[in-house]
């Protein structure tokens, strides 16, 4: 019984060896996106690469640059030479200079540079699907730091008493702030090199410039007629310090090492209000016990360009972008000496950031 077993093992090993030997002699054709054609042995194919052996040299091509793979599988092929000669044969082997073919009668050797076209007589072509071609499983993780210049305006600013007959103050024009230098950290991932998610943790501060502003003042009972007041905001009357995080969906397109991209996301964070003492409300009354909420919300859009090689891991890249967005803040305060209920303030800050940074592809 043992003898039969060993004979069976030897037989299987022989079949495997012959299979591997035959497989190693097969010629496959790989067409790249730039229309170049590679004739060789397809050793392995993953979600990222195809590895080909040409003679004793192994070459690796990223799937994003491969448009088609044709498996010879020992089938007949039609070889068209550059002098228009047609040869029908079975591909056997390829070395650095020649393609070896076999017919029923003889063995042929053709110089590689003379080959114009290879066509399989039996159709067995595998088109790389768009998902495979772009590497749907090839994730690109990255981290980055950035800094830049930001300009911003308070585009709406209101304050209200919380009682029913409360007063209402509203600035009817934009309030200018000084330019500031934001900075931040980004972490993200591209799932198929084109679509990705990004988390951006940032900090910036905006100081209100000295300026004249018009304010509408009224109350709900209309016991005070609506009228316009002209006030002067002193320098640094109000400083807004923002610490937040934005969560964005990214879409990019690649031109080799240049990658333009777009992003859209929402912002969650905190605006801390700092002011000269005593702080005043919009119509000049002293304020005490003013507070800010930590659940400041907003949105942002961004457009930028990345310079780097995303076909390889552990590479540095550079980027520049413009980021536009708004954040909405609310705060409570009490007027000094007033026995009335707390007041509520709300403002919208609209910003435009010009940013540059450096990142690392994991």
């Amino acid at each position: 019984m043992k003898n039969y077993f060993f004979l069976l093992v030897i037989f299987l090993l022989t079949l495997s060896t012959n299979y591997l030997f035959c497989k190693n002699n097969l010629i496959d054709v790989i067409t790249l996106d730039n229309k170049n054609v590679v004739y060789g042995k397809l050793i392995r194919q993953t979600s990222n690469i195809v590895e080909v052996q040409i003679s004793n040299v192994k070459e690796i091509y990223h799937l994003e640059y491969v448009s088609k793979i044709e498996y010879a599988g020992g089938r007949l092929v039609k070889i068209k030479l550059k002098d228009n000669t047609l040869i029908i044969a079975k591909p056997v082997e390829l070395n650095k200079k020649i393609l070896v073919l076999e017919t029923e009668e003889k063995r042929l050797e053709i110089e590689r540079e003379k080959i114009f076209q290879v066509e399989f007589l039996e159709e067995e072509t595998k088109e790389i699907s768009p998902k495979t071609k772009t590497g749907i499983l090839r994730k690109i993780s990255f981290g980055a730091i950035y800094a830049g210049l930001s300009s911003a305006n308070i585009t709406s600013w209101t304050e209200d008493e919380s009682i029913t007959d409360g007063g209402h103050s509203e600035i009817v024009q934009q309030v200018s702030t000084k330019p500031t230098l934001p900075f931040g950290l980004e972490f993200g991932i591209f799932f198929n090199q084109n679509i990705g998610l990004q988390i951006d943790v940032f900090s910036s501060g905006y100081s209100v410039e000295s300026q004249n502003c018009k304010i509408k003042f009224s109350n709900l009972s209309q016991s005070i007629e609506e009228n316009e007041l002209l006030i002067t905001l002193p320098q640094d009357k109000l400083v807004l310090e923002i610490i937040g995080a934005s969560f964005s969906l990214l879409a990019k397109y690649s031109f080799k090492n240049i990658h333009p991209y777009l992003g859209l996301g929402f912002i969650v964070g905190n605006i801390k209000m700092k002011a000269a003492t005593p702080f005043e409300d919009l119509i000049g009354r002293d304020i005490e016990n003013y507070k800010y909420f930590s659940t400041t919300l907003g949105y942002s859009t961004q457009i930028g360009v990345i310079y780097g090689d995303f076909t390889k891991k552990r590479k540095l890249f550079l980027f520049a972008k413009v980021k536009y967005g708004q954040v909405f803040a609310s705060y409570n305060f009490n007027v000094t000496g007033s026995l009335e209920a707390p007041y509520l303030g709300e403002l919208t800050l609209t910003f435009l950031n010009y940013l540059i940074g450096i990142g690392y592809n994991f």
Side-chain angles (χ1 to χ4, degrees), residues 150-268:
S150 176
S151 61
N153 294 300
I154 299 175
T155 49
S156 69
W157 193 355
T158 61
E159 289 178 349
D160 292 284
E161 296 178 24
S162 57
I163 60 175
T164 304
D165 193 28
H168 176 77
S169 305
E170 178 182 352
I171 287 184
V172 294
Q173 66 187 65
Q174 289 191 146
V175 177
S176 301
T177 66
K178 294 180 181 178
T180 188
L181 302 175
F183 62 92
L185 301 173
E186 292 180 351
F187 303 93
I189 183 170
F190 283 102
F191 293 102
N192 66 344
Q193 295 202 75
N194 293 320
I195 302 297
L197 296 175
Q198 173 188 286
I199 299 176
D200 178 1
V201 181
F202 63 91
S203 175
S204 58
Y206 301 93
S207 177
V208 173
E209 292 183 323
S210 178
Q211 60 201 288
N212 294 323
C213 293
K214 291 181 180 180
I215 292 182
K216 283 184 179 180
F217 179 72
S218 62
N219 65 3
L220 296 177
S221 67
Q222 297 182 348
S223 59
I224 299 176
E225 293 184 2
E226 182 177 286
N227 57 67
E228 251 185 23
L229 306 175
L230 184 63
I231 65 167
T232 299
L233 295 176
Q235 192 81 358
D236 302 327
K237 171 185 177 180
L238 180 68
V239 177
L240 303 176
E241 291 187 352
I242 303 177
I243 298 176
S246 64
F247 302 85
S248 302
L249 176 66
L250 302 181
K252 77 176 180 67
Y253 191 83
S254 297
F255 299 97
K256 291 187 177 179
N257 291 337
I258 298 177
H259 315 271
Y261 69 95
L262 298 171
L264 178 64
F266 66 93
I267 297 173
V268 178

Side-chain angles (χ1 to χ4, degrees), residues 6-63:
F6 285 119
L7 287 174
L8 179 61
V9 171
I10 293 172
F11 176 72
L12 292 175
L13 287 175
T14 303
L15 286 179
S16 301
T17 302
N18 289 336
Y19 171 76
L20 291 174
F21 177 78
C22 293
K23 183 178 180 181
N24 288 338
N25 283 334
L26 298 182
I27 304 301
D28 298 310
V29 179
I30 297 175
T31 304
L32 306 181
D33 278 349
N34 59 9
K35 307 305 180 185
N36 289 335
V37 178
V38 177
Y39 305 97
K41 264 185 316 192
L42 185 64
I43 299 174
R44 66 189 177 100
Q45 176 183 344
T46 69
S47 60
N48 298 336
I49 63 167
V50 289
E51 185 175 359
V52 182
Q53 182 171 324
I54 301 174
S55 187
N56 295 323
V57 179
K58 293 182 180 179
E59 295 185 9
I60 292 177
Y61 300 93
H62 288 274
L63 270 185

